[in-house]
Amino acid sequence: MNRRSILFAGLSLVLAACVSTPPPPPPPDPVTQMSALESRINTLIEEQRLRLNPNAQPLVLDSELVGIARRRSADMAQRNTFSNPGDDTHVSATMMMDQDATFQGLLGENVAAQHYTKQSGVDVDAFAKRFVDTWLASDPHRTNLSLKDYNRTGVGAAVNADTVYVTQLFATDLGLGPYKDTTTPKKVTEFQDPQKAVAPQPVAAPALRMRGSEGVAPNTPGP
């Protein structure tokens, strides 16, 4: 190799060293991924539910339950805790009755959380699988999601600066149908003073039965 060839090779190496690799794009904003995460969790739960209990009823996605599940997760994300606000030990049930006082039946709840970092973001498939695996590894969660009588569900996810919270609700009307107030007004006869007639007392709807569990996905990075 002559001197010209050596100089040319050296120049090529210098030029190659000056070419920089562009940084990878930042991960998507986790807020924009919550809907996809809900959908993926719902699909995985349906698969595991039928595997655990072939006699389980198929789960229909219920918009009312989805709305309540999202409110429940948003509340946890805002307070950054699983703990129930105040003395209410069944927050989802309270939300359900506030929204639909005619509901009768059994309501189940599974909740969980996973940490994430801004650098790594949220991998929808990986996070969904960890949420579901966490519930499957817990007897109360697994029993809840495989209960054969449930026929409706709703998944809600919410995120704060470093944690994703997820709620999945399950419900069944137990064949009771919508609650109806069957109070019969007391008839007023011609011998009764209408001003003294006793007003019918409203009949309270049967209490909502609630079962639920919570958990934190293992092996997730800290804040």
Side-chain angles (χ1 to χ4, degrees):
M1 180 181 293
N2 58 32
R3 180 178 176 81
R4 179 176 297 180
S5 298
I6 294 173
L7 289 174
F8 180 76
L11 181 61
S12 298
L13 291 174
V14 172
L15 290 175
C18 292
V19 176
S20 61
T21 303
D29 181 351
V31 173
T32 67
Q33 298 177 283
M34 292 301 99
S35 180
L37 180 62
E38 294 169 353
S39 179
R40 185 59 181 153
I41 289 173
N42 184 60
T43 298
L44 293 176
I45 286 295
E46 182 72 2
E47 293 172 357
Q48 294 299 324
R49 171 180 166 80
L50 295 177
R51 181 183 65 82
L52 292 169
N53 188 352
N55 296 320
Q57 295 190 64
L59 295 173
V60 176
L61 201 60
D62 185 292
S63 60
E64 184 174 54
L65 293 178
V66 170
I68 294 171
R70 286 174 174 171
R71 285 175 55 196
R72 172 74 163 117
S73 292
D75 176 70
M76 291 188 293
Q78 181 179 12
R79 295 183 296 108
N80 203 29
T81 180
F82 282 122
S83 65
N84 298 320
D87 298 326
D88 191 350
T89 58
H90 299 302
V91 180
S92 293
T94 300
M95 291 179 177
M96 168 64 83
M97 296 309 293
D98 286 345
Q99 181 167 315
D100 184 2
T102 66
F103 179 83
Q104 294 184 82
L106 182 64
L107 182 68
E109 174 194 77
N110 282 349
V111 297
Q114 285 189 62
H115 291 298
Y116 74 96
T117 64
K118 292 182 179 180
Q119 293 75 20
S120 61
V122 173
D123 183 319
V124 169
D125 287 335
F127 268 59
K129 187 175 186 304
R130 276 200 295 268
F131 275 122
V132 174
D133 286 347
T134 299
W135 289 335
L136 293 175
S138 161
D139 287 341
H141 292 83
R142 187 173 60 253
T143 299
N144 215 20
L145 67 87
S146 61
L147 190 70
K148 71 180 183 66
D149 291 327
Y150 289 139
N151 54 21
R152 289 176 286 160
T153 190
V155 182
V159 62
N160 59 24
D162 60 17
T163 307
V164 178
Y165 286 88
V166 166
T167 302
Q168 180 158 22
L169 298 178
F170 308 90
T172 174
D173 58 16
L174 299 181
L176 298 175
Y179 169 72
K180 295 180 180 179
D181 186 346
T182 56
T183 303
T184 302
K186 197 168 184 178
K187 293 182 178 179
V188 178
T189 69
E190 58 181 321
F191 303 106
Q192 290 178 315
D193 183 350
Q195 299 298 323
K196 296 180 180 180
V198 179
Q201 298 299 311
V203 178
L208 176 65
R209 296 171 58 196
M210 180 78 185
R211 50 186 293 152
S213 299
E214 63 188 40
V216 178
N219 302 322
T220 56

